Amino acid sequence: MTPLLQVEGIAKMYGARIGCTDVSFDLYPGEVMGIVGESGSGKSTLLNCMAGHLQPDAGAVRFDTRTEGLRDTVTMSEPERRMLSRTDWAFVHQHARDGLRMNVSAGGNVGERLMAVNARHYGDIRDKAIDWLGRVEISADRIDDRPTAFSGGMQQRLQIARNLVTGPRLVFMDEPTGGLDVSVQARLLDLLRGLVREMGLSAIIVTHDLAVVRLLADRLMVMKDGHVIESGLTDQVLDDPQHAYTQLLVSSVLQV
Amino acid sequence: MITVENVSKSFVLHNQGAAEISVMAGASLSVAQGECIALVGASGAGKSTLMRMIYGNYLTQSGRIMVGDLDVVTAAPRQVIQLRRTTLGYVSQFLRVVPRVSTLDVVAEPLMATGSDRATAEAQAKTLLHRLNIPERLWQLSPTTFSGGEQQRVNIARGFAYPYPALLLDEPTASLDPTNRATVLAMIAEAKARGAAIIGIFHDHAARDEICDRQFDVTQYTPGLAA
């Protein structure tokens, strides 16, 4: 089986400081991988390097493209990478306002991604937008409202609809449930889990919340000071952590 | 079907002065198809540890654990994920589920994950829930609010939804009333009859003697505990 994403020796320096270094892994179709670590551990840097938002200093990020098989996205041309990021890739930001157009209607936000892949029929686009708003539990009568009129949880769900409407194969998520109430979080997690299963998505989720990775991720990578210090099956890493830092992390979770 | 060869396991607690605790050394065990083995030994002797090593959520320091054709000790995460989906079932002591997911979906999920269509999966889930006396009015609710015994039965229904060739059962009859206990024992017997290799932990000695072909005492492999 060909991996969907093959990451090899990714490194990113900020001057003399390490952003992340020597990160390698394969992600297979349908797999969900979590990346955990405290803030400053390099997990967002890594995610942005993989998603093409940052240029890594070394390494390769190979993606199994539909037409040409595995291609290094670090060295491909900017237009090609942009095409990928609006078709096969999706990026869910921690703050919904970074991933949405705040002064365009909810329907417009979802429709824009469709138009970027050459959908032109207004009725079709609107029907698809309504369908997707329904899937993320936003009622159809809010389609003409702007995201500024939405709650934080709704904005996050709208961002997810906008990202998934084009049927991507790989979703990058940066703290998708950060800053939301626990009840809203649970709802969002449930939604994400259903979509991942239904659409056969692969995903890479950066978070500092171990409960989130336990529910969503098959595999887990733990980062500290820019290095991957431990990786494996999610329940294995959480139930039998090997590295001192992971043990500290797991034992620090408050029991409810 | 399940072969454990000379495995050992220790925990290193880095945050408690790097204390190294050896919990198992040189354990070997083999379970054939259609056979049910009970793990026995005092609390803390390593019964659950051995079970988790077989399931792959504890790492094994040395030795081999073959489940079917796969060595769990050296397998890549995605191989273990595949193994758990189609070959190796596990009924844990406590149900762990995503909030908000209905009982019916919880039970149907292992079938959906192996490619059954929704209708077939739900029909099978309903049959199991009926059999385990979970009232129909609860099926659309999340099991997180259920009583201990109900959660345990949902957990068993989920564990038996897909016909795994190998099954790990951690206290399947704990906190069950006599009727449901008899049902669960019948389900284990049926799994044996269709050829499943089963490893169980039973504190219920009557159940253990009724259903298990052999006992495996883990105490003999527990460093510091072996008499």
Side-chain angles (χ1 to χ4, degrees):
Chain A
M1 191 146 96
T2 319
L4 184 68
L5 191 74
Q6 203 170 40
V7 174
E8 204 181 300
I10 284 292
K12 175 74 187 170
M13 303 293 288
Y14 296 112
R17 256 185 265 272
I18 296 172
C20 63
T21 185
D22 198 22
V23 181
S24 303
F25 66 90
D26 289 345
L27 186 78
Y28 287 83
E31 269 184 347
V32 178
M33 191 170 80
I35 303 176
V36 296
E38 59 199 1
S39 49
S41 60
K43 51 195 197 307
S44 294
T45 297
L46 173 62
L47 191 75
N48 283 311
C49 283
M50 292 188 287
H53 298 172
L54 277 175
Q55 178 78 27
D57 297 324
V61 179
R62 293 184 204 98
F63 181 74
D64 184 20
T65 56
R66 289 178 202 239
T67 48
E68 292 165 83
L70 282 175
R71 290 207 42 205
D72 187 1
T73 63
V74 175
T75 52
M76 76 173 36
S77 71
E78 186 62 30
E80 283 179 297
R81 200 161 45 232
R82 283 176 61 94
M83 192 61 199
L84 261 188
S85 67
R86 48 175 199 242
T87 53
D88 274 348
W89 288 3
F91 197 101
V92 176
H93 294 264
Q94 174 176 8
H95 301 291
R97 51 183 60 242
D98 295 335
L100 291 173
R101 287 188 194 277
M102 296 306 283
N103 49 4
V104 171
S105 72
N109 264 289
V110 178
E112 187 192 15
R113 254 199 66 121
L114 283 172
M115 297 200 319
V117 291
N118 295 324
R120 285 295 177 265
H121 188 281
Y122 177 79
D124 290 349
I125 292 173
R126 193 169 169 93
D127 287 347
K128 211 156 181 190
I130 290 175
D131 173 44
W132 266 95
L133 290 179
R135 286 212 223 180
V136 298
E137 303 174 22
I138 297 174
S139 69
D141 61 10
R142 302 297 300 268
I143 188 169
D144 295 317
D145 292 352
R146 290 180 186 185
T148 42
F150 286 2
S151 69
M154 276 175 80
Q155 287 180 0
Q156 196 57 291
R157 278 179 275 136
L158 178 62
Q159 192 194 182
I160 289 166
R162 171 181 161 96
N163 270 287
L164 298 188
V165 68
T166 48
R169 291 189 293 155
L170 176 61
V171 186
F172 300 100
M173 298 189 217
D174 191 3
E175 301 274 7
T177 59
L180 297 175
D181 285 330
V182 279
S183 58
V184 180
Q185 245 187 50
R187 198 163 165 204
L188 192 72
L189 285 176
D190 179 21
L191 171 77
L192 281 173
R193 210 164 153 277
L195 291 171
V196 165
R197 170 72 44 91
E198 228 172 85
M199 302 174 68
L201 292 176
S202 301
I204 298 177
I205 302 174
V206 162
T207 178
H208 61 263
D209 190 337
L210 296 182
V212 168
V213 290
R214 194 182 277 272
L215 291 182
L216 283 179
D218 308 308
R219 288 167 57 191
L220 187 58
M221 221 157 72
V222 184
M223 292 189 73
K224 183 169 168 48
D225 303 331
H227 297 267
V228 174
I229 53 166
E230 188 162 353
S231 65
L233 272 179
T234 301
D235 57 10
Q236 181 262 302
V237 174
L238 295 181
D239 292 344
D240 188 15
Q242 303 294 307
H243 193 279
Y245 174 70
T246 319
Q247 291 185 355
L248 182 68
L249 201 67
V250 171
S251 65
S252 304
V253 175
L254 298 175
Q255 303 281 331
V256 182
Chain B
M1 186 66 208
I2 304 175
T3 312
V4 176
E5 281 171 33
N6 200 20
V7 295
S8 59
K9 169 75 191 159
S10 59
F11 293 102
V12 180
L13 307 175
H14 292 286
N15 301 306
Q16 291 170 42
E20 183 169 346
I21 300 172
S22 182
V23 293
M24 189 164 294
S28 297
L29 163 72
S30 170
V31 189
Q33 290 191 331
E35 203 179 14
C36 179
I37 306 284
L39 300 182
V40 296
S43 174
K47 301 184 293 295
S48 297
T49 297
L50 180 57
M51 200 171 258
R52 286 180 190 153
M53 285 158 70
I54 297 170
Y55 197 58
N57 54 342
Y58 277 5
L59 288 180
T60 302
Q61 263 76 35
S62 66
R64 274 197 338 157
I65 299 177
M66 300 298 297
V67 179
D69 305 327
L70 187 70
D71 182 1
V72 178
V73 176
T74 54
R78 68 189 181 92
Q79 293 175 302
V80 178
I81 293 167
Q82 186 60 26
L83 180 82
R84 290 177 181 183
R85 199 169 288 159
T86 59
T87 311
L88 183 62
Y90 178 40
V91 177
S92 57
Q93 219 170 336
F94 301 102
L95 181 68
R96 184 180 248 152
V97 293
V98 187
R100 292 212 323 157
V101 176
S102 78
T103 298
L104 194 61
D105 286 349
V106 166
V107 178
E109 196 193 357
L111 289 166
M112 305 276 292
T114 45
S116 293
D117 61 76
R118 179 164 283 278
T120 319
E122 282 191 359
Q124 167 74 348
K126 284 175 182 170
T127 311
L128 280 161
L129 289 170
H130 258 307
R131 193 165 175 201
L132 287 158
N133 295 313
I134 304 289
E136 198 165 342
R137 63 192 157 81
L138 298 181
W139 293 358
Q140 293 307 324
L141 305 178
S142 160
T144 43
T145 53
F146 290 6
S147 76
E150 283 167 343
Q151 291 199 4
Q152 174 74 344
R153 279 178 278 146
V154 171
N155 206 11
I156 290 167
R158 177 184 163 89
F160 281 84
Y162 181 83
Y164 300 103
L167 263 176
L168 305 173
L169 308 173
D170 195 349
E171 297 265 17
T173 56
S175 65
L176 293 185
D177 57 70
T179 321
N180 287 311
R181 178 175 165 279
T183 309
V184 172
L185 291 180
M187 287 168 63
I188 299 173
E190 285 162 25
K192 272 173 73 177
R194 67 166 165 78
I198 301 172
I199 296 179
I201 298 172
F202 299 87
H203 281 144
D204 174 352
H205 289 200
R208 183 172 78 199
D209 296 341
E210 185 183 329
I211 204 76
C212 295
D213 304 301
R214 278 192 288 142
Q215 296 190 1
F216 180 80
D217 189 353
V218 295
T219 318
Q220 53 186 323
Y221 303 107
T222 318
L225 266 189

